[in-house]
């Protein structure tokens, strides 16, 4: 007998600034990933204005279409923060001051100075909602579980506050309430080959990856990612990944949470380098940023810093190894190129590589091209 269907969720992002293009909705992307990890299908993301009637209608529609409704934004203290009012209207409940929330607000602002009277709006609650604590902000969240209807969680729009509230308050409640079906995921990451070329190489493997397996192909700055998911037997995604490895070979640089900068640092370590530096020209510090942010998952060389230059001889902090990267002018056909070399205890001949993209994306891809050059040039150990 097959597994039960996964719960379905809708995300409502509230704020007229989202619709005006003044703010990018990073909250929805975060929630999509977290819901996937919980085994919940995110079926819709809606951006809504600060309009009480529009919000009430959206709550009614989402509550009838999904098992879970996650809402971000509109919980501030000003007149245009109307998420609480919109939900109260949708449910036919009245807002009333919560004395506990009011005391918590007064205590919070007492440590900072006087509290504006408008902040008391954040202490309003409807009877069926439980307050969710917000240790790093003034806006408490709401959790509504009336048993037979969609579960609703209201969270702040500030990304740091929303993320902490979701991880600490909402996710545990969702897991306990719905018992989500686990989603098994395997991601394989390539570099130096385009999305269409990957699709052509893999062909039927992407179209028919296996029973119960869904495949996806995504272009990223660090290459093309292949994603296989299933709610059935996890061995099925492992089998699909194994077939991809056979076809793609050295074009694959990592899987799942692997980080290309860290992969490059592990290659330096395998070559006997305890420390690595960088020198780059005309890249805006993209290589320095990538290496500084490398996510450690095992032993690797330590990155000691880099130098940004626009001319002259490469010079960098003293280290066992150094990655040298120059972004070259576009050629006559408008194609971008980078010049990459490795020096120090290990030396790799200079090479020119083609990259794609424009603006900041072009700079990031230049950095990833340099890191992949290190990966391909230095043995894994």
């Amino acid at each position: 007998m097959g597994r039960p269907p996964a719960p379905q969720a809708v995300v409502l992002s509230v704020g007229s600034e989202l619709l005006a293009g003044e703010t990018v909705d990073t909250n929805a992307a975060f929630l999509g990933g977290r819901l996937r990890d919980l085994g919940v299908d995110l079926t819709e993301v809606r951006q809504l204005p600060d309009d009480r009637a529009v919000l009430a209608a959206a709550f009614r529609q989402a509550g009838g279409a999904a098992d879970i409704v996650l809402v971000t934004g509109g919980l501030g203290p000003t007149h245009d923060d109307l998420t609480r009012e919109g939900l109260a209207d949708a449910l036919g409940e009245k807002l009333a001051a919560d004395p506990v929330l009011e005391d918590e607000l007064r205590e919070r602002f007492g440590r900072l100075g006087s509290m504006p009277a408008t902040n008391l709006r954040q202490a309003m609650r409807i009877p069926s909602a439980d307050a969710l604590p917000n240790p790093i902000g003034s806006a408490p969240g709401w959790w509504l579980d009336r048993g037979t209807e969609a579960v609703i969680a209201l969270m702040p729009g500030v990304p740091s506050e929303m993320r902490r509230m979701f991880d600490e308050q909402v996710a545990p409640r969702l897991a306990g309430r719905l018992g989500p079906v686990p989603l098994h995921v395997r991601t394989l990451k390539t570099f130096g080959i385009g999305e269409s070329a990957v699709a052509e190489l893999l062909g039927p493997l992407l179209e028919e990856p296996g029973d119960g397996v869904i495949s996806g192909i995504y272009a990223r700055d660090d290459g093309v990612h292949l994603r296989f998911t299933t709610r059935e037997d996890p061995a099925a995604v492992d089998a699909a990944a194994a077939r991809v490895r056979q076809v793609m070979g050295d074009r694959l640089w990592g899987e799942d949470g692997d980080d290309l900068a860290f992969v490059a640092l592990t290659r330096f370590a395998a070559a006997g380098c305890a420390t690595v530096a960088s020198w780059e020209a005309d890249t805006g510090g993209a290589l320095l940023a990538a290496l500084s942010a490398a996510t450690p998952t095992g032993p690797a060389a330590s990155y000691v810093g880099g130098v940004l230059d626009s001319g002259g001889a490469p010079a960098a902090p003293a280290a066992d190894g150094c990655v040298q990267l120059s972004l070259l002018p576009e050629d006559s056909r408008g194609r971008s190129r980078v010049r990459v070399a490795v020096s120090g205890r290990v030396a790799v001949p200079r090479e020119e590589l083609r990259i794609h993209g424009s603006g900041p994306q072009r700079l990031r891809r230049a950095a990833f091209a340099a890191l992949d050059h290190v990966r391909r040039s230095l043995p894994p150990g």
Side-chain angles (χ1 to χ4, degrees), residues 342-363:
V342 177
S343 60
R345 180 172 292 181
V346 290
V348 174
R350 186 175 65 186
E351 184 174 339
E352 287 191 9
L353 309 169
R354 284 180 53 192
I355 59 171
H356 301 280
S358 60
Q361 181 189 63
R362 178 171 172 256
L363 304 182

Side-chain angles (χ1 to χ4, degrees), residues 21-378:
E22 298 170 0
T23 302
V24 177
D25 187 9
T26 58
N27 287 340
F30 170 86
L31 291 172
R34 287 292 196 269
L35 289 170
R36 178 199 66 196
D37 295 340
L38 285 168
V40 176
D41 287 340
L42 177 58
T43 60
E44 184 181 10
V45 174
R46 293 185 62 187
Q47 295 180 342
L48 302 169
D50 299 305
D51 183 296
R52 184 167 177 167
V54 171
L55 292 171
F59 278 120
R60 294 187 191 100
Q61 181 181 18
D67 304 298
I68 303 164
V69 180
L70 300 181
V71 189
T72 66
L75 299 181
T78 60
H79 71 283
D80 58 347
D81 291 309
L82 297 169
T83 298
R84 290 176 291 260
E85 287 80 357
L87 182 55
D89 292 347
L91 298 178
E93 297 189 35
K94 297 293 184 181
L95 284 162
D98 183 322
V100 174
L101 292 179
E102 185 173 329
D103 288 345
E104 290 175 353
L105 277 172
R106 294 189 184 279
E107 180 182 356
R108 172 183 174 80
F109 279 92
R111 298 192 299 266
L112 304 173
S114 61
M115 182 181 73
T118 56
N119 279 93
L120 289 175
R121 295 184 68 237
Q122 296 177 304
M124 303 293 284
R125 185 172 60 82
I126 58 176
S128 63
D130 295 325
L132 299 177
N134 181 358
I136 56 175
S138 63
W142 286 7
W143 171 264
L144 291 90
D145 181 359
R146 307 206 299 186
T148 59
E149 303 172 1
V151 172
I152 302 174
L154 307 187
M155 295 172 286
V158 178
S160 59
E161 297 177 26
M162 184 279 298
R163 294 181 182 195
R164 182 162 176 178
M165 186 177 291
F166 182 83
D167 285 341
E168 294 183 357
Q169 303 295 330
V170 178
R173 286 173 169 82
L174 288 178
R177 169 66 167 79
L178 298 172
V181 179
L183 180 68
H184 307 289
V185 183
R186 178 59 57 85
T187 302
L188 296 97
K189 304 176 180 181
T190 74
F191 196 88
I193 182 171
E195 187 177 7
S196 58
V198 171
E200 185 175 357
L201 273 174
L202 295 177
L205 179 54
L206 291 177
E207 298 169 8
E208 299 179 5
D211 290 341
V213 178
I214 299 173
S215 68
I217 181 169
Y218 310 96
R220 301 285 188 261
D221 288 344
D222 61 354
V224 175
H225 294 190
L226 301 160
R227 184 166 172 261
F228 298 94
T229 63
T230 185
R231 300 188 189 279
E232 304 294 335
D233 185 358
V237 292
D238 293 336
R243 296 196 296 274
V244 170
R245 293 188 202 101
Q246 290 180 339
V247 176
M248 300 304 294
D250 190 51
R251 298 182 184 92
L252 287 174
W253 64 259
E255 300 185 10
D256 298 330
D258 288 344
D259 175 271
L260 184 50
F262 188 76
V263 170
L265 291 174
T266 63
R267 295 300 172 93
F268 273 111
C273 298
T275 56
V276 172
S278 64
W279 174 93
E280 56 191 305
D282 303 311
T283 56
L287 180 58
L288 186 154
L291 285 165
S292 298
T295 304
T297 55
S302 298
Y303 180 59
V304 297
V307 169
L308 312 185
D309 202 354
S310 58
D320 298 329
C322 180
V323 186
Q324 301 170 13
L325 169 64
S326 300
L327 183 59
L328 303 177
E330 293 182 351
D331 63 19
S332 60
R333 299 175 61 182
R335 296 175 299 188
S336 295
R337 297 166 297 145
V338 293
R339 181 175 294 149
V340 183
V342 177
S343 60
R345 180 172 292 181
V346 290
V348 174
R350 186 175 65 186
E351 184 174 339
E352 287 191 9
L353 309 169
R354 284 180 53 192
I355 59 171
H356 301 280
S358 60
Q361 181 189 63
R362 178 171 172 256
L363 304 182
R364 290 192 298 271
R365 289 185 175 178
F368 287 123
L371 296 169
D372 189 64
H373 178 70
V374 172
R375 175 193 70 87
R376 290 184 291 104
S377 302
L378 300 181

